[in-house]
Amino acid sequence: MYPKPLKPLHNNRNVRNQADVALVKHRDTERFMASNDSSALNPLQRKLRRELPAAIADVLLPALTWRISKHRATISVSNPLWREVFDQYASKLCQQTVESSGRQLTVLSPDPLENSHDKRKRTFKEFLTDPGNQFALATCRSICDAPGMLHNPLYIYGPPGVGKSHLISAIVHHFHQSLGNESAVYWSGREFVDTIVHQLAQRDQGSLHPTLQQASLIAVDDLEEIGDRAVAQEELYLLINHALEMGQQLVFGSRLPPRRIAHIEDRVSTRLSWGLCIGIDPPANETKSRFLRSVAGSFADDLSSNEISNLLRNYGNDMHHVLELGKRLATGERPEFDTPRASFDRILATVADSLGIRAGDIAGKGRQRQLVQARQASLLLGRLLTNHSLVALGGMVGGRDHSTVLHSLRQAQLRIDEDAQFAAWINDLQQEILSGH
């Protein structure tokens, strides 16, 4: 079952891009500087400038981001190196000054291991349970107890952020812990297509052959990457057949069920479906709320249930975005709801580039299927990511009227509900637009 992340149409979803975050920080600073609370922060900055050695103040102060609320002052240090300098020269002074104003001081800095965390070390214990993933979780545990015997292959699919990769990683981790690192191999779909397929084609002469012979588990995530790739599908087909003959457990993860992968051969989709295919539904709002509060920690304590719901509705499209939202809250940031997160020109350019057409063609009068699809996607994303009215959006795609735009939006939403591949494409476009790449 693919997500319905884009309904209702007026909701904003994803975490905004870097320019928007910078804008929010600028507004927060202006709002703070104009408030009665600014006297607690400005003297602190001046005090650090005055009492720190000039050489330290000149380089340390620009590395600090300041936020303040009624009961808390938060200082974010840009990296672990400057955190050491801050702790040595400024921590005690800041603590004394902030506490004298009746506030609590929190100092944040990035975890140097956060970006290098190996997702293969995720475990079942850390998995966030939800009504939509209970069956998948129970099945993954069962194949750890009897690999190759119950559900082989096991194929897990669902929209981004529902826990597919975590479950596959937990299976791999269980095998590594129980049987040693040689007992399981784990590839991403991109890794499989780009490098593993070539090694598999070498058959017994390749360096990969001994690794596969020792493995009790073979796992491939993001399997939709094999769409439109005949050689990758051929090697996957042969790999599945060989693994089943050897009694090795196979586990696959994908956004799409086997038959929905683009231009997949019938024989490959049939092999993938031989065991058990499990779809995971998007998590319930209660699960998202629980996860958000756990990531944000004490910074979410002063948020009401309604405020949490509004934040999730605007920024919690999936659990990846809930995680990013939680990290933002944990720095003391309070995202706003009304700031547009992308320009419509950016949306048109991204959609056009995705389909290999010109942005001007989308606003034209052409009725070819590809242009209609591009127009519907652009209007839908424009409704999600900008503050433009239906009339304004119509004006930017060739002067179309309100009713025509509304019809396009309804058709796009209907197609999202019925076509998982189209829904995945819209989601990918959304992330690309917001990433600024």
Side-chain angles (χ1 to χ4, degrees):
M1 178 179 177
Y2 224 83
K4 302 178 182 178
L6 305 174
K7 188 187 283 186
L9 292 174
H10 65 274
N11 288 342
N12 292 329
R13 303 273 180 186
N14 301 66
V15 177
R16 67 193 78 185
N17 57 31
Q18 292 181 354
D20 290 327
V21 172
L23 177 62
V24 170
K25 290 182 177 179
H26 176 67
R27 287 178 173 176
D28 285 348
T29 302
E30 287 186 332
R31 186 182 302 113
F32 170 74
M33 297 295 286
S35 71
N36 293 330
D37 288 335
S38 63
S39 60
L41 183 59
N42 291 335
L44 177 55
Q45 290 177 302
R46 291 196 298 269
K47 194 169 186 178
L48 289 175
R49 170 67 67 179
R50 185 173 61 249
E51 299 193 16
L52 289 178
I56 297 295
D58 288 343
V59 292
L60 177 60
L61 292 182
L64 305 179
T65 302
W66 310 78
R67 293 186 182 278
I68 194 166
S69 63
K70 185 176 181 180
H71 302 292
R72 187 195 307 269
T74 304
I75 300 176
S76 297
V77 189
S78 59
N79 60 58
L81 175 62
W82 289 121
R83 177 59 186 267
E84 292 181 12
V85 177
F86 177 85
D87 289 343
Q88 182 177 352
Y89 290 96
S91 178
K92 186 175 181 180
L93 182 60
C94 290
Q95 187 77 33
Q96 293 172 347
T97 306
V98 170
E99 288 183 354
S100 67
S101 69
R103 292 179 174 86
Q104 176 185 350
L105 176 65
T106 301
V107 182
L108 303 171
S109 60
D111 181 354
L113 298 178
E114 181 178 0
N115 294 330
S116 62
H117 176 66
D118 186 353
K119 69 180 183 179
R120 291 165 173 78
K121 295 182 180 178
R122 295 173 181 169
T123 65
F124 291 120
K125 184 178 181 180
E126 297 169 348
F127 187 70
L128 189 65
T129 58
D130 178 82
N133 61 35
Q134 290 294 296
F135 180 55
L137 174 60
T139 303
C140 289
R141 287 183 180 276
S142 70
I143 68 168
C144 289
D145 296 332
M149 302 293 293
L150 296 175
H151 311 294
N152 203 15
L154 174 63
Y155 188 102
I156 306 172
Y157 66 93
V162 295
K164 306 182 300 296
S165 296
H166 190 133
L167 286 174
I168 296 174
S169 302
I171 295 172
V172 173
H173 179 73
H174 176 87
F175 273 75
H176 284 171
Q177 292 293 105
S178 302
L179 303 174
N181 291 337
E182 299 78 17
S183 64
V185 292
Y186 182 19
W187 305 309
S188 68
R190 175 57 55 188
E191 183 182 5
F192 182 81
V193 168
D194 290 346
T195 61
I196 302 303
V197 165
H198 174 70
Q199 296 180 45
L200 289 173
Q202 298 177 28
R203 303 296 178 249
D204 294 350
Q205 286 71 42
S207 59
L208 186 62
H209 180 69
T211 302
L212 290 177
Q213 290 294 102
Q214 296 180 61
S216 300
L217 169 72
I218 301 172
V220 185
D221 201 2
D222 303 319
L223 200 64
E224 65 273 5
E225 293 286 350
I226 69 169
D228 291 314
R229 297 176 182 270
V231 175
Q233 293 184 30
E234 171 70 18
E235 293 302 328
L236 179 64
Y237 177 78
L238 296 175
L239 175 64
I240 293 173
N241 287 343
H242 181 266
L244 292 177
E245 289 178 3
M246 298 293 293
Q248 296 167 306
Q249 178 68 51
L250 293 161
V251 179
F252 301 106
S254 174
R255 295 182 180 184
L256 304 169
R259 294 191 180 279
R260 289 289 187 90
I261 295 176
H263 300 104
I264 190 171
E265 297 181 21
D266 286 341
R267 60 175 183 158
V268 179
S269 65
T270 299
R271 286 290 190 275
L272 292 171
S273 304
W274 260 7
L276 179 64
C277 292
I278 302 176
I280 303 181
D281 294 331
N285 286 334
E286 292 80 1
T287 305
K288 289 184 177 181
S289 177
R290 178 160 44 98
F291 182 58
L292 179 63
R293 289 187 180 276
S294 70
V295 174
S298 61
F299 287 86
D301 291 347
D302 57 347
L303 294 175
S304 68
S305 297
N306 286 338
E307 288 174 316
I308 290 289
S309 297
N310 285 333
L311 287 169
L312 290 173
R313 184 166 59 249
N314 284 273
Y315 301 104
N317 182 37
D318 58 46
M319 294 301 276
H320 297 309
H321 296 121
V322 175
L323 175 61
E324 292 302 318
L325 174 60
K327 290 179 179 179
R328 293 172 66 187
L329 292 176
T331 66
E333 184 180 344
R334 290 294 182 269
E336 299 174 358
F337 302 134
D338 297 327
T339 305
R341 294 169 290 153
S343 69
F344 195 66
D345 287 342
R346 166 75 178 155
I347 292 171
L348 287 176
T350 303
V351 174
D353 183 65
S354 175
L355 295 174
I357 60 178
R358 297 180 304 171
D361 295 335
I362 300 176
K365 297 183 178 180
R367 296 295 302 168
Q368 294 95 326
R369 182 176 179 181
Q370 187 180 49
L371 293 179
V372 171
Q373 174 179 312
R375 202 169 293 132
Q376 290 176 350
S378 299
L379 289 171
L380 183 60
L381 291 167
R383 187 63 168 158
L384 285 166
L385 305 179
T386 74
N387 291 336
H388 296 308
S389 66
L390 297 183
V391 174
L393 288 173
M396 288 183 280
V397 287
R400 289 169 169 80
D401 60 28
H402 172 278
S403 60
T404 301
V405 174
L406 188 59
H407 175 73
S408 294
L409 292 173
R410 287 172 176 167
Q411 290 299 309
Q413 185 62 57
L414 181 63
R415 188 169 179 187
I416 284 173
D417 295 342
E418 297 177 349
D419 186 343
Q421 202 164 341
F422 181 78
W425 179 58
I426 292 292
N427 190 69
D428 290 343
L429 288 173
Q430 219 173 349
Q431 296 188 31
E432 182 178 351
I433 291 166
L434 293 173
S435 71
H437 295 159

